[in-house]
């Protein structure tokens, strides 16, 4: 199954409320000195993350943030189970540098049959010239209020933008 792209995913007013939370600068972000599972060399191999939901640690961001950020998307994708919801913020770079190709649900990487039953969705908070790329070369441009859904076993990577200060996406990993 190929990635499915949906533009104008949320009602505009709902999306603008969500986007303002991310863009106004008062959401707490945590620095990670890597972008994928393992650190690699490079000046741009870092990102900022905000974990919104992590069931294995029984973690959920504040109810207020969860309701404003996650709930509108969850209501539309209708998951049976959620593995993780995580926001990623990368900063501008001199070129569209990409992370390593990866899958998001690492604990299933050795069980391909189970992994392909899960779905990954990437929701784009701001428009920029960064993109999501799949191993087959398919690219999904970062367009505000766009979502791309794909089987969790498809390797993908994010790239930094060069035309905005930041690129923000939210990853939803779920069982349909």
């Amino acid at each position: 199954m190929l990635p499915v792209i949906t533009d104008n995913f949320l009602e505009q007013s709902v999306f603008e409320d969500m986007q303002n939370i991310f863009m106004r600068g008062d959401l707490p972000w945590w620095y990670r000195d890597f972008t994928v599972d393992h650190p690699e060399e490079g000046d741009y191999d870092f990102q900022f993350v905000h974990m919104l939901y992590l069931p294995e640690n029984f973690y959920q961001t504040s109810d207020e943030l969860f309701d404003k950020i996650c709930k509108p998307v969850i209501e539309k994708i209708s998951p049976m189970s959620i593995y993780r919801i995580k926001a990623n913020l990368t900063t501008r770079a001199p070129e569209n540098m990409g992370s390593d190709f990866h899958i998001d649900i690492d604990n299933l990487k050795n069980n391909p049959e189970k992994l392909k039953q899960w779905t990954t969705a990437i929701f784009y908070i701001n428009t920029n010239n960064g993109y999501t790329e799949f191993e087959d070369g398919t690219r999904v441009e970062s367009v505000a209020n766009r979502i791309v859904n794909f089987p969790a076993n498809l390797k993908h990577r994010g790239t930094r933008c060069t035309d905005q200060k930041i690129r923000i996406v939210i990853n939803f990993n779920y069982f349909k």
Side-chain angles (χ1 to χ4, degrees), residues 61-98:
T61 193
S62 73
D63 288 342
E64 180 184 4
L65 277 178
F66 189 85
D67 287 350
K68 289 181 179 177
I69 295 171
C70 301
K71 206 171 193 177
V73 176
I74 289 170
E75 287 174 353
K76 289 196 76 168
I77 62 176
S78 301
M80 182 180 291
S81 179
I82 299 171
Y83 173 77
R84 179 180 71 187
I85 304 172
K86 179 175 71 112
N88 295 328
L89 181 155
T90 55
T91 57
R92 178 175 40 216
E95 59 188 70
N96 292 110
M97 303 164 164

Side-chain angles (χ1 to χ4, degrees), residues 92-161:
R92 178 175 40 216
E95 59 188 70
N96 292 110
M97 303 164 164
S99 67
D100 289 341
F101 286 101
H102 64 280
I103 58 171
D104 289 350
I105 306 177
D106 282 343
N107 64 344
L108 291 179
K109 68 182 170 189
N110 294 325
N111 193 335
E113 287 305 308
K114 281 190 178 178
L115 180 63
K116 72 181 180 183
Q117 296 173 5
W118 288 78
T119 300
T120 296
I122 301 173
F123 185 72
Y124 300 88
I125 298 299
N126 65 321
T127 299
N128 57 74
N129 68 356
Y131 51 88
T132 301
E133 183 176 23
F134 295 88
E135 276 191 314
D136 70 357
T138 300
R139 289 183 178 180
V140 178
E141 304 299 322
S142 295
V143 175
N145 202 11
R146 168 179 281 177
I147 195 168
V148 59
N149 285 277
F150 53 93
N153 65 341
L154 284 184
K155 288 190 174 183
H156 63 283
R157 68 178 181 172
T159 64
R160 290 182 180 273
C161 65

